[in-house]
Structure formats: structure tokens, C-alpha cells
């Protein structure tokens, strides 16, 4: 290339370089904004799941209270209290324990 041709093309190349740089900056800003929305959505989902987990833990604590377990065992599993002099037989070990 001759110097005259390079001198004629250099303003065009500099304008193209400036436009490409500005276009790249715009794309980077859009990507940062998109990532920000993704992080916001993920933090909302995390908070919602954490609250749901906390609620399930409270329900589990309510269900596993000793009085609730005893009431369930008495109503559904036919649990009865041992009476005086009653013998409780444990089948797995073949042991009998007098009360």
C-alpha cells in the first residue's frame, strides 16, 4: 500500500475502530445487566426456598412432639400403657421384663 492510500483509509479505519469499541462496551453493559437480573432472580428463589425449608422444619417439630407421637400411637397403632404387674415381652431378644 502506498502512503497516500493508507492516509486516505486511516480515518475510515479509526471510525470503524471507535464504533466497534462503543458497540463492545454496549454489549458488555447489557451482559452485566442481564447477569444482575439473573443474580436477583436466584436470590429471590433462595429466599423463597429458605422460608419453605424453615416452614417444613417447624411442621416437623410440631409433628414429632412427644405428646403428638403418643396420641398418634394410641389412636392409630393401638398403643396402651403397661399396667401394674404386666409383663412386656420383647420378641427380638426373647426377653421378658416384669413391670
Amino acid at each position: 500500500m502506498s502512503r497516500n492510500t493508507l492516509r486516505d483509509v486511516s480515518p475510515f479505519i479509526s471510525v470503524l475502530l471507535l464504533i466497534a469499541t462503543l458497540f463492545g462496551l454496549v454489549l458488555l453493559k447489557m451482559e452485566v445487566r442481564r447477569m444482575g437480573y439473573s443474580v436477583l432472580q436466584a436470590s429471590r428463589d433462595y429466599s423463597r426456598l429458605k422460608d419453605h425449608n424453615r416452614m417444613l422444619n417447624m411442621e416437623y417439630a410440631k409433628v414429632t412432639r412427644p405428646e403428638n407421637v403418643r396420641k398418634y400411637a394410641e389412636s392409630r397403632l393401638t398403643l396402651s400403657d403397661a399396667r401394674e404387674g404386666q409383663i412386656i415381652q420383647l420378641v427380638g431378644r426373647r426377653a421378658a421384663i416384669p413391670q
Side-chain angles (χ1 to χ4, degrees):
M1 282 178 128
S2 70
R3 289 189 181 259
N4 287 338
T5 309
L6 187 60
R7 198 176 308 148
D8 290 341
V9 176
S10 64
F12 179 70
I13 292 175
S14 65
V15 168
L16 279 177
L17 185 64
L18 180 66
I19 290 173
T21 304
L22 291 175
F23 186 69
L25 287 174
V26 167
L27 285 177
L28 287 175
K29 284 189 178 252
M30 285 174 46
E31 185 65 21
V32 166
R33 183 65 52 107
R34 187 186 67 80
M35 291 299 289
Y37 287 137
S38 297
V39 168
L40 178 66
Q41 182 65 34
S43 66
R44 285 181 182 168
D45 289 344
Y46 175 73
S47 297
R48 184 179 48 80
L49 289 173
K50 193 167 62 170
D51 290 341
H52 184 68
N53 186 30
R54 190 176 300 131
M55 183 189 65
L56 289 176
N57 283 335
M58 288 188 324
E59 285 182 24
Y60 178 73
K62 287 178 184 176
V63 167
T64 57
R65 277 191 210 149
E67 56 269 5
N68 287 346
V69 171
R70 183 174 184 79
K71 188 188 316 180
Y72 181 81
E74 287 174 350
S75 64
R76 303 262 172 103
L77 304 176
T78 64
L79 175 73
S80 59
D81 292 330
R83 292 181 299 277
E84 187 67 32
Q86 183 179 5
I87 296 178
I88 299 174
Q89 184 175 4
L90 302 175
V91 178
R93 296 184 186 152
R94 303 275 183 201
I97 302 171
Q99 288 289 317

XYZ file of all heavy atoms in Angstrom:
800
model
N 0.837 -1.172 0.000
C 0.000 0.000 0.000
C 0.887 1.242 0.000
O 1.887 1.302 0.716
C -0.880 0.044 1.231
C -2.065 -0.840 1.199
S -2.903 -0.656 2.742
C -4.493 -0.328 2.217
N 0.448 2.165 -0.715
C 1.208 3.410 -0.733
C 0.774 4.299 0.424
O -0.271 4.091 1.043
C 1.005 4.133 -2.078
O -0.302 4.622 -2.150
N 1.579 5.262 0.694
C 1.270 6.174 1.803
C -0.001 6.976 1.545
O -0.750 7.259 2.470
C 2.446 7.103 2.052
C 3.615 6.397 2.657
C 4.640 7.438 3.076
N 5.784 6.762 3.634
C 6.011 6.651 4.926
N 5.190 7.179 5.783
N 7.068 6.024 5.357
N -0.242 7.332 0.340
C -1.454 8.102 0.020
C -2.708 7.261 0.254
O -3.707 7.763 0.774
C -1.411 8.583 -1.435
C -0.407 9.705 -1.625
O -0.054 10.375 -0.660
N 0.046 9.882 -2.855
N -2.670 5.995 -0.101
C -3.813 5.109 0.100
C -4.045 4.890 1.586
O -5.179 4.928 2.055
C -3.576 3.764 -0.603
O -3.194 3.982 -1.942
C -4.808 2.904 -0.545
N -2.963 4.678 2.353
C -3.080 4.486 3.796
C -3.619 5.743 4.456
O -4.433 5.667 5.383
C -1.715 4.116 4.383
C -1.687 3.710 5.845
C -2.569 2.489 6.071
C -0.281 3.436 6.287
N -3.180 6.909 4.001
C -3.651 8.169 4.559
C -5.130 8.379 4.236
O -5.876 8.931 5.044
C -2.819 9.311 4.000
C -2.946 10.563 4.828
C -2.062 11.682 4.345
N -0.682 11.226 4.204
C 0.167 11.690 3.294
N -0.214 12.611 2.441
N 1.393 11.242 3.219
N -5.572 7.920 3.108
C -6.985 8.075 2.729
C -7.892 7.109 3.512
O -9.037 7.435 3.795
C -7.168 7.821 1.231
C -6.548 8.921 0.385
O -6.327 10.006 0.939
O -6.288 8.654 -0.805
N -7.375 5.943 3.853
C -8.176 4.913 4.523
C -8.118 5.048 6.048
O -9.022 4.608 6.752
C -7.693 3.513 4.080
C -8.431 2.416 4.812
C -7.856 3.349 2.597
N -7.121 5.678 6.607
C -6.955 5.743 8.063
C -8.124 6.402 8.792
O -8.509 5.938 9.876
C -5.634 6.424 8.422
O -5.636 7.760 8.002
N -8.770 7.477 8.295
C -9.946 7.989 9.011
C -11.092 6.974 9.049
O -11.783 6.833 10.066
C -10.358 9.220 8.214
C -9.179 9.616 7.432
C -8.395 8.367 7.194
N -11.265 6.247 7.982
C -12.319 5.231 7.932
C -12.037 4.117 8.943
O -12.939 3.682 9.661
C -12.410 4.676 6.504
C -13.444 3.607 6.345
C -14.794 3.911 6.411
C -13.072 2.291 6.135
C -15.748 2.923 6.280
C -14.019 1.296 6.003
C -15.360 1.608 6.066
N -10.783 3.672 9.017
C -10.398 2.611 9.964
C -10.562 3.104 11.395
O -11.055 2.373 12.254
C -8.960 2.149 9.682
C -8.908 1.419 8.344
C -8.457 1.244 10.801
C -7.518 1.039 7.912
N -10.185 4.356 11.677
C -10.321 4.875 13.043
C -11.794 4.989 13.440
O -12.165 4.713 14.582
C -9.603 6.212 13.178
O -10.222 7.196 12.374
N -12.657 5.374 12.519
C -14.095 5.447 12.819
C -14.645 4.047 13.058
O -15.444 3.832 13.986
C -14.848 6.171 11.679
C -16.357 6.001 11.831
C -14.491 7.639 11.639
N -14.216 3.073 12.252
C -14.657 1.693 12.464
C -14.182 1.159 13.818
O -14.938 0.479 14.526
C -14.145 0.786 11.346
C -14.926 0.801 10.044
C -14.253 -0.095 9.012
C -16.342 0.357 10.276
N -12.953 1.471 14.188
C -12.423 1.044 15.487
C -13.200 1.686 16.634
O -13.523 1.022 17.620
C -10.935 1.392 15.578
C -10.211 0.915 16.815
C -10.210 -0.605 16.861
C -8.806 1.455 16.838
N -13.534 2.952 16.496
C -14.316 3.652 17.522
C -15.716 3.048 17.635
O -16.211 2.796 18.750
C -14.401 5.144 17.177
C -15.180 6.006 18.161
C -14.448 6.054 19.497
C -15.384 7.393 17.606
N -16.351 2.787 16.517
C -17.700 2.191 16.531
C -17.649 0.786 17.127
O -18.516 0.409 17.937
C -18.307 2.186 15.115
C -18.644 3.611 14.690
C -19.550 1.316 15.059
C -19.088 3.742 13.252
N -16.652 -0.014 16.771
C -16.532 -1.372 17.310
C -16.305 -1.332 18.813
O -16.876 -2.139 19.567
C -15.393 -2.115 16.616
N -15.496 -0.377 19.292
C -15.251 -0.248 20.727
C -16.528 0.135 21.467
O -16.856 -0.450 22.506
C -14.153 0.808 20.987
O -12.982 0.445 20.269
C -13.843 0.923 22.462
N -17.251 1.092 20.939
C -18.506 1.505 21.579
C -19.530 0.367 21.557
O -20.256 0.157 22.539
C -19.069 2.747 20.888
C -18.260 4.036 21.096
C -18.855 5.157 20.261
C -18.207 4.408 22.560
N -19.605 -0.358 20.451
C -20.517 -1.493 20.355
C -20.139 -2.562 21.389
O -21.014 -3.132 22.055
C -20.476 -2.064 18.935
C -21.473 -3.150 18.689
C -22.829 -2.876 18.651
C -21.060 -4.455 18.492
C -23.744 -3.874 18.426
C -21.970 -5.466 18.271
C -23.315 -5.172 18.229
N -18.845 -2.812 21.544
C -18.385 -3.775 22.554
C -18.742 -3.336 23.959
O -19.155 -4.147 24.797
N -18.605 -2.037 24.261
C -18.973 -1.524 25.584
C -20.467 -1.689 25.856
O -20.877 -2.055 26.960
C -18.573 -0.052 25.714
C -17.079 0.217 25.862
C -16.816 1.718 25.827
C -16.568 -0.375 27.164
N -21.268 -1.427 24.833
C -22.721 -1.583 24.992
C -23.060 -3.047 25.261
O -23.880 -3.356 26.148
C -23.457 -1.050 23.746
C -24.913 -1.490 23.744
C -23.362 0.457 23.685
N -22.435 -3.951 24.527
C -22.701 -5.372 24.751
C -22.272 -5.799 26.158
O -22.967 -6.575 26.815
C -21.981 -6.221 23.700
C -22.603 -6.203 22.309
C -21.758 -7.024 21.348
C -24.013 -6.735 22.347
N -21.135 -5.305 26.622
C -20.688 -5.643 27.970
C -21.650 -5.112 29.030
O -21.950 -5.796 30.006
C -19.276 -5.104 28.211
C -18.154 -5.852 27.497
C -16.822 -5.154 27.727
C -18.086 -7.294 27.970
N -22.135 -3.877 28.847
C -23.098 -3.330 29.815
C -24.403 -4.130 29.813
O -24.995 -4.361 30.872
C -23.381 -1.864 29.508
C -22.265 -0.957 29.927
C -22.685 0.482 29.793
C -21.578 1.367 30.268
N -21.887 1.995 31.523
N -24.835 -4.557 28.630
C -26.045 -5.384 28.563
C -25.827 -6.716 29.264
O -26.722 -7.215 29.962
C -26.445 -5.619 27.106
C -27.067 -4.412 26.449
S -27.397 -4.608 24.680
C -28.144 -6.189 24.592
N -24.651 -7.295 29.125
C -24.356 -8.567 29.769
C -24.315 -8.407 31.293
O -24.819 -9.262 32.029
C -23.015 -9.120 29.253
C -22.679 -10.484 29.753
C -23.633 -11.558 29.286
O -24.340 -11.358 28.275
O -23.683 -12.614 29.930
N -23.737 -7.303 31.753
C -23.713 -7.047 33.192
C -25.131 -6.893 33.726
O -25.479 -7.436 34.787
C -22.864 -5.786 33.511
C -23.089 -5.307 34.921
C -21.397 -6.076 33.261
N -25.979 -6.193 33.005
C -27.367 -6.014 33.430
C -28.102 -7.351 33.459
O -28.843 -7.659 34.381
C -28.057 -5.043 32.471
C -29.484 -4.697 32.796
C -29.626 -3.943 34.112
N -28.771 -2.791 34.184
C -29.146 -1.537 34.098
N -30.410 -1.262 33.932
N -28.286 -0.568 34.200
N -27.876 -8.185 32.422
C -28.524 -9.496 32.364
C -28.071 -10.379 33.524
O -28.885 -11.059 34.159
C -28.196 -10.183 31.036
C -28.964 -11.476 30.812
C -28.505 -12.175 29.562
N -27.149 -12.660 29.682
C -26.789 -13.779 30.306
N -27.703 -14.521 30.889
N -25.538 -14.149 30.359
N -26.793 -10.347 33.829
C -26.280 -11.134 34.956
C -26.853 -10.621 36.278
O -27.137 -11.400 37.185
C -24.757 -11.089 34.982
C -24.095 -11.823 33.841
S -24.470 -13.567 33.823
C -23.540 -14.099 35.222
N -27.020 -9.313 36.383
C -27.626 -8.750 37.593
C -29.040 -9.256 37.796
O -29.449 -9.590 38.913
N -29.814 -9.325 36.719
C -31.174 -9.862 36.827
C -31.160 -11.340 37.200
O -32.007 -11.810 37.965
C -31.943 -9.653 35.531
C -32.362 -8.224 35.277
C -32.234 -7.660 34.019
C -32.884 -7.440 36.296
C -32.623 -6.351 33.789
C -33.268 -6.139 36.080
C -33.131 -5.596 34.818
O -33.518 -4.307 34.593
N -30.195 -12.071 36.656
C -30.087 -13.492 36.997
C -29.765 -13.677 38.478
O -30.329 -14.546 39.144
C -29.009 -14.170 36.153
O -29.335 -14.124 34.804
N -28.848 -12.858 38.991
C -28.495 -12.943 40.407
C -29.684 -12.557 41.275
O -29.953 -13.189 42.305
C -27.268 -12.053 40.710
C -27.051 -11.894 42.201
C -26.027 -12.620 40.044
N -30.423 -11.539 40.881
C -31.609 -11.122 41.627
C -32.638 -12.252 41.678
O -33.197 -12.551 42.742
C -32.220 -9.877 40.990
C -33.495 -9.348 41.627
C -33.205 -8.842 43.025
C -34.089 -8.246 40.765
N -32.884 -12.890 40.545
C -33.844 -13.998 40.498
C -33.369 -15.163 41.361
O -34.159 -15.771 42.089
C -34.053 -14.454 39.055
C -35.064 -15.565 38.901
C -36.461 -15.131 39.284
O -36.836 -13.985 39.078
N -37.228 -16.031 39.858
N -32.065 -15.468 41.296
C -31.533 -16.568 42.101
C -31.633 -16.256 43.586
O -31.952 -17.135 44.391
C -30.083 -16.841 41.718
N -31.399 -15.011 43.981
C -31.502 -14.667 45.406
C -32.956 -14.727 45.873
O -33.233 -15.142 47.002
C -30.901 -13.288 45.675
O -31.663 -12.285 45.049
N -33.892 -14.351 45.021
C -35.310 -14.471 45.382
C -35.698 -15.939 45.550
O -36.411 -16.299 46.487
C -36.189 -13.822 44.331
C -36.192 -12.322 44.384
C -37.110 -11.755 43.333
N -37.086 -10.299 43.351
C -37.597 -9.540 42.410
N -38.182 -10.095 41.367
N -37.536 -8.239 42.501
N -35.241 -16.777 44.621
C -35.526 -18.212 44.727
C -34.912 -18.796 45.991
O -35.531 -19.611 46.677
C -34.993 -18.961 43.505
C -35.799 -18.671 42.251
O -36.929 -18.157 42.375
O -35.280 -18.955 41.156
N -33.691 -18.380 46.314
C -33.026 -18.868 47.521
C -33.800 -18.458 48.762
O -34.008 -19.280 49.666
C -31.590 -18.337 47.578
C -30.872 -18.699 48.844
C -30.445 -20.004 49.060
C -30.628 -17.751 49.821
C -29.787 -20.347 50.229
C -29.978 -18.077 50.985
C -29.553 -19.377 51.188
O -28.911 -19.711 52.348
N -34.244 -17.211 48.824
C -35.023 -16.760 49.982
C -36.327 -17.530 50.105
O -36.722 -17.930 51.213
C -35.321 -15.267 49.870
O -34.139 -14.524 49.885
N -36.983 -17.755 48.966
C -38.247 -18.496 48.992
C -38.024 -19.934 49.461
O -38.768 -20.451 50.300
C -38.872 -18.491 47.597
C -40.221 -19.150 47.511
C -40.787 -19.077 46.102
N -39.855 -19.474 45.067
C -39.590 -20.745 44.744
N -40.194 -21.739 45.375
N -38.735 -21.020 43.768
N -36.967 -20.575 48.971
C -36.679 -21.949 49.383
C -36.248 -22.024 50.845
O -36.585 -22.975 51.557
C -35.600 -22.555 48.483
C -36.045 -22.859 47.056
C -34.846 -23.290 46.218
C -37.123 -23.911 47.040
N -35.521 -21.014 51.313
C -35.110 -20.986 52.714
C -36.333 -20.842 53.625
O -36.428 -21.528 54.643
C -34.129 -19.833 52.940
C -33.408 -19.897 54.262
C -32.229 -18.927 54.325
C -32.682 -17.514 54.178
N -31.620 -16.541 54.474
N -37.279 -19.983 53.239
C -38.516 -19.842 54.012
C -39.321 -21.136 53.999
O -39.891 -21.533 55.027
C -39.367 -18.701 53.468
C -38.756 -17.341 53.733
O -37.880 -17.243 54.623
O -39.142 -16.374 53.045
N -39.381 -21.790 52.852
C -40.105 -23.059 52.751
C -39.452 -24.121 53.639
O -40.151 -24.871 54.327
C -40.137 -23.518 51.303
C -40.932 -24.756 51.076
N -42.311 -24.804 51.212
C -40.554 -26.012 50.737
C -42.731 -26.021 50.961
N -41.682 -26.782 50.674
N -38.138 -24.161 53.646
C -37.411 -25.110 54.498
C -37.676 -24.820 55.975
O -37.883 -25.736 56.768
C -35.916 -25.051 54.205
C -35.145 -26.112 54.940
O -35.663 -27.178 55.220
N -33.904 -25.815 55.273
N -37.691 -23.560 56.341
C -37.975 -23.182 57.725
C -39.389 -23.605 58.123
O -39.607 -24.120 59.224
C -37.803 -21.675 57.880
C -37.829 -21.203 59.307
C -37.567 -19.708 59.421
N -36.260 -19.376 58.883
C -36.030 -18.396 58.012
N -37.023 -17.643 57.589
N -34.817 -18.144 57.576
N -40.342 -23.431 57.204
C -41.726 -23.828 57.480
C -41.821 -25.347 57.650
O -42.491 -25.839 58.560
C -42.636 -23.374 56.358
C -44.096 -23.676 56.600
S -45.127 -23.368 55.179
C -44.515 -24.584 54.031
N -41.133 -26.097 56.785
C -41.156 -27.557 56.900
C -40.502 -28.020 58.205
O -40.976 -28.980 58.828
C -40.447 -28.189 55.706
C -41.177 -28.099 54.369
C -40.317 -28.687 53.268
C -42.512 -28.786 54.443
N -39.440 -27.355 58.629
C -38.809 -27.702 59.904
C -39.752 -27.453 61.076
O -39.797 -28.249 62.027
C -37.507 -26.919 60.102
C -36.376 -27.484 59.292
O -36.383 -28.659 58.943
N -35.396 -26.656 58.988
N -40.522 -26.363 61.008
C -41.487 -26.090 62.083
C -42.592 -27.136 62.091
O -43.009 -27.598 63.153
C -42.068 -24.681 61.929
C -41.086 -23.600 62.275
S -41.724 -21.919 62.359
C -42.941 -21.811 61.107
N -43.071 -27.523 60.915
C -44.097 -28.568 60.854
C -43.561 -29.887 61.386
O -44.256 -30.608 62.104
C -44.572 -28.756 59.413
C -45.484 -27.670 58.925
C -45.962 -27.923 57.507
O -45.972 -29.097 57.078
O -46.318 -26.954 56.834
N -42.322 -30.210 61.050
C -41.702 -31.444 61.543
C -41.584 -31.415 63.064
O -41.855 -32.417 63.724
C -40.329 -31.622 60.898
C -39.594 -32.842 61.381
C -39.986 -34.108 60.975
C -38.517 -32.727 62.250
C -39.323 -35.231 61.427
C -37.850 -33.841 62.705
C -38.248 -35.089 62.287
O -37.591 -36.196 62.735
N -41.203 -30.265 63.610
C -41.092 -30.150 65.063
C -42.456 -30.319 65.726
O -42.561 -30.945 66.791
C -40.485 -28.798 65.435
N -43.507 -29.791 65.110
C -44.852 -29.948 65.671
C -45.303 -31.402 65.631
O -45.903 -31.904 66.572
C -45.857 -29.084 64.902
C -45.730 -27.615 65.177
C -46.725 -26.842 64.344
C -46.562 -25.359 64.520
N -47.468 -24.588 63.643
N -45.023 -32.077 64.517
C -45.472 -33.461 64.354
C -44.721 -34.394 65.286
O -45.294 -35.351 65.815
C -45.290 -33.897 62.874
C -45.442 -35.382 62.717
C -46.301 -33.168 62.000
N -43.459 -34.139 65.527
C -42.654 -35.061 66.327
C -42.613 -34.705 67.807
O -41.769 -35.229 68.534
C -41.211 -35.122 65.786
O -40.660 -33.809 65.790
C -41.171 -35.707 64.399
N -43.501 -33.855 68.274
C -43.603 -33.615 69.719
C -43.996 -34.918 70.402
O -44.790 -35.691 69.861
C -44.682 -32.581 70.012
C -44.240 -31.185 69.860
C -45.305 -30.277 70.426
N -45.275 -29.034 69.704
C -46.305 -28.269 69.474
N -47.491 -28.618 69.917
N -46.175 -27.156 68.807
N -43.445 -35.167 71.576
C -43.753 -36.432 72.248
C -45.253 -36.666 72.467
O -45.740 -37.777 72.283
C -43.012 -36.328 73.569
C -41.894 -35.379 73.311
C -42.411 -34.419 72.296
N -45.986 -35.604 72.829
C -47.424 -35.812 73.077
C -48.167 -36.118 71.775
O -49.118 -36.909 71.774
C -48.052 -34.615 73.796
C -47.880 -33.285 73.117
C -46.645 -32.522 73.559
O -45.843 -33.052 74.332
O -46.493 -31.390 73.111
N -47.733 -35.538 70.672
C -48.378 -35.844 69.388
C -48.043 -37.257 68.927
O -48.900 -37.964 68.380
C -47.956 -34.844 68.319
C -48.590 -33.490 68.516
O -49.538 -33.342 69.282
N -48.058 -32.492 67.843
N -46.806 -37.681 69.132
C -46.422 -39.042 68.756
C -47.192 -40.049 69.594
O -47.694 -41.058 69.087
C -44.897 -39.241 68.916
C -44.516 -40.693 68.732
C -44.141 -38.366 67.926
N -47.331 -39.778 70.885
C -48.069 -40.682 71.771
C -49.550 -40.752 71.373
O -50.136 -41.822 71.319
C -47.919 -40.226 73.210
C -48.593 -41.150 74.187
C -48.282 -40.719 75.614
N -48.824 -41.640 76.566
C -48.278 -42.804 76.893
N -47.149 -43.159 76.338
N -48.845 -43.589 77.772
N -50.135 -39.577 71.079
C -51.545 -39.548 70.677
C -51.752 -40.333 69.380
O -52.706 -41.100 69.249
C -51.999 -38.097 70.483
C -53.480 -37.957 70.246
C -53.902 -36.542 69.869
C -53.244 -35.482 70.704
N -53.663 -34.123 70.312
N -50.842 -40.180 68.424
C -50.935 -40.920 67.167
C -50.791 -42.419 67.412
O -51.529 -43.223 66.847
C -49.854 -40.434 66.194
C -49.907 -41.128 64.859
C -50.807 -40.728 63.883
C -49.057 -42.188 64.577
C -50.862 -41.361 62.652
C -49.108 -42.830 63.342
C -50.014 -42.409 62.399
O -50.067 -43.052 61.190
N -49.850 -42.801 68.274
C -49.633 -44.217 68.559
C -50.838 -44.819 69.270
O -51.203 -45.969 69.023
C -48.369 -44.393 69.390
N -51.471 -44.058 70.149
C -52.654 -44.570 70.854
C -53.848 -44.697 69.918
O -54.621 -45.653 70.018
C -53.002 -43.661 72.025
C -52.050 -43.779 73.187
C -52.335 -42.757 74.274
O -53.144 -41.835 74.048
O -51.722 -42.884 75.351
N -54.019 -43.739 68.994
C -55.208 -43.763 68.143
C -55.047 -44.686 66.932
O -55.970 -45.386 66.561
C -55.544 -42.351 67.668
O -54.504 -41.861 66.842
N -53.885 -44.721 66.342
C -53.715 -45.479 65.102
C -52.956 -46.791 65.275
O -53.146 -47.718 64.504
C -52.959 -44.632 64.080
C -53.604 -43.312 63.761
C -54.407 -43.414 62.485
N -55.189 -42.217 62.259
C -54.877 -41.279 61.394
N -53.805 -41.393 60.663
N -55.654 -40.229 61.253
N -52.068 -46.861 66.235
C -51.224 -48.048 66.375
C -51.568 -48.880 67.605
O -50.823 -49.772 67.966
C -49.747 -47.632 66.436
C -49.250 -46.796 65.250
C -47.821 -46.369 65.486
C -49.365 -47.582 63.968
N -52.648 -48.602 68.242
C -53.159 -49.326 69.421
C -52.119 -49.442 70.529
O -51.880 -50.506 71.092
C -53.661 -50.742 69.045
O -52.564 -51.510 68.587
C -54.762 -50.672 68.010
N -51.479 -48.339 70.870
C -50.559 -48.303 71.997
C -51.370 -48.222 73.281
O -52.346 -47.497 73.381
C -49.644 -47.070 71.906
C -48.713 -46.845 73.079
C -47.588 -47.877 73.032
C -48.150 -45.458 73.062
N -50.978 -49.004 74.260
C -51.639 -48.910 75.564
C -50.566 -48.893 76.638
O -49.466 -49.420 76.465
C -52.587 -50.093 75.773
O -51.870 -51.299 75.702
N -50.874 -48.268 77.759
C -49.923 -48.183 78.864
C -49.770 -49.540 79.537
O -50.711 -50.333 79.599
C -50.397 -47.164 79.901
C -50.338 -45.747 79.358
O -49.461 -45.489 78.505
O -51.148 -44.910 79.789
N -48.581 -49.777 80.051
C -48.357 -51.015 80.806
C -49.028 -50.879 82.168
O -48.939 -49.859 82.822
C -46.862 -51.249 80.975
N -49.719 -51.924 82.553
C -50.391 -51.912 83.853
C -49.491 -52.544 84.897
O -48.491 -53.192 84.577
C -51.712 -52.667 83.737
C -52.725 -51.938 82.843
C -54.025 -52.692 82.751
N -53.884 -54.030 82.160
C -53.849 -54.261 80.864
N -53.933 -53.268 79.996
N -53.734 -55.486 80.405
N -49.839 -52.384 86.144
C -49.061 -52.935 87.260
C -49.022 -54.456 87.154
O -50.055 -55.099 86.984
C -49.709 -52.515 88.586
C -48.916 -52.878 89.807
C -47.620 -52.108 89.915
O -47.567 -50.948 89.461
O -46.657 -52.687 90.435
N -47.836 -55.032 87.215
C -47.680 -56.473 87.168
C -47.694 -57.043 85.763
O -47.597 -58.252 85.583
N -47.831 -56.206 84.772
C -47.873 -56.691 83.405
C -46.445 -57.009 82.937
O -45.491 -56.330 83.280
C -48.478 -55.628 82.490
C -48.629 -56.066 81.061
C -49.257 -54.953 80.211
O -49.485 -53.856 80.696
N -49.523 -55.261 78.965
N -46.316 -58.029 82.125
C -45.012 -58.423 81.595
C -44.938 -57.998 80.138
O -45.836 -58.296 79.346
C -44.795 -59.943 81.718
C -44.754 -60.336 83.175
C -43.523 -60.357 80.993
C -44.598 -61.821 83.383
N -43.873 -57.295 79.812
C -43.661 -56.854 78.438
C -42.634 -57.793 77.821
O -41.533 -57.952 78.326
C -43.160 -55.404 78.387
C -44.192 -54.476 79.011
C -42.856 -54.997 76.951
C -43.734 -53.056 79.134
N -43.019 -58.427 76.725
C -42.137 -59.388 76.089
C -41.548 -58.760 74.830
O -42.266 -58.283 73.962
C -42.915 -60.650 75.715
C -42.037 -61.716 75.130
C -42.814 -62.992 74.888
O -44.025 -63.044 75.089
N -42.121 -64.012 74.462
N -40.215 -58.761 74.763
C -39.519 -58.265 73.583
C -39.182 -59.460 72.717
O -38.372 -60.303 73.076
C -38.241 -57.520 73.987
C -38.449 -56.330 74.926
C -37.117 -55.759 75.350
C -39.280 -55.269 74.237
N -39.788 -59.552 71.551
C -39.672 -60.729 70.712
C -38.282 -60.843 70.103
O -37.739 -61.935 69.975
C -40.738 -60.706 69.594
C -40.604 -61.880 68.681
C -42.120 -60.632 70.219
N -37.654 -59.734 69.774
C -36.381 -59.792 69.089
C -35.279 -60.411 69.917
O -34.426 -61.117 69.410
N -35.282 -60.200 71.225
C -34.216 -60.712 72.087
C -34.702 -61.847 72.993
O -33.955 -62.361 73.814
C -33.689 -59.583 72.963
C -33.044 -58.484 72.154
C -32.470 -57.458 73.075
N -31.961 -56.319 72.302
C -31.887 -55.127 72.730
N -32.291 -54.812 73.938
N -31.398 -54.178 71.977
N -35.956 -62.172 72.906
C -36.552 -63.225 73.726
C -36.417 -62.914 75.207
O -36.028 -63.769 76.003
C -35.918 -64.574 73.423
C -35.988 -64.997 71.998
C -37.294 -65.667 71.773
N -37.309 -66.150 70.392
C -38.414 -66.422 69.768
N -39.564 -66.266 70.357
N -38.368 -66.862 68.540
N -36.709 -61.685 75.580
C -36.593 -61.279 76.969
C -37.960 -60.893 77.501
O -38.772 -60.327 76.774
C -35.629 -60.115 77.120
N -38.214 -61.172 78.750
C -39.456 -60.765 79.397
C -39.085 -59.866 80.560
O -38.232 -60.207 81.379
C -40.212 -61.982 79.884
N -39.717 -58.702 80.629
C -39.395 -57.723 81.672
C -40.654 -57.489 82.503
O -41.653 -56.994 81.980
C -38.926 -56.387 81.053
C -37.713 -56.649 80.168
C -38.591 -55.380 82.121
C -37.313 -55.455 79.339
N -40.644 -57.828 83.777
C -41.841 -57.552 84.609
C -41.908 -56.064 84.939
O -40.887 -55.417 85.124
C -41.606 -58.389 85.862
C -40.129 -58.620 85.900
C -39.623 -58.575 84.522
N -43.123 -55.535 85.005
C -43.338 -54.128 85.341
C -43.677 -53.995 86.805
O -44.501 -54.641 87.329
C -44.473 -53.542 84.497
C -44.101 -53.352 83.075
C -43.113 -52.209 82.886
O -43.261 -51.171 83.474
N -42.089 -52.453 82.105
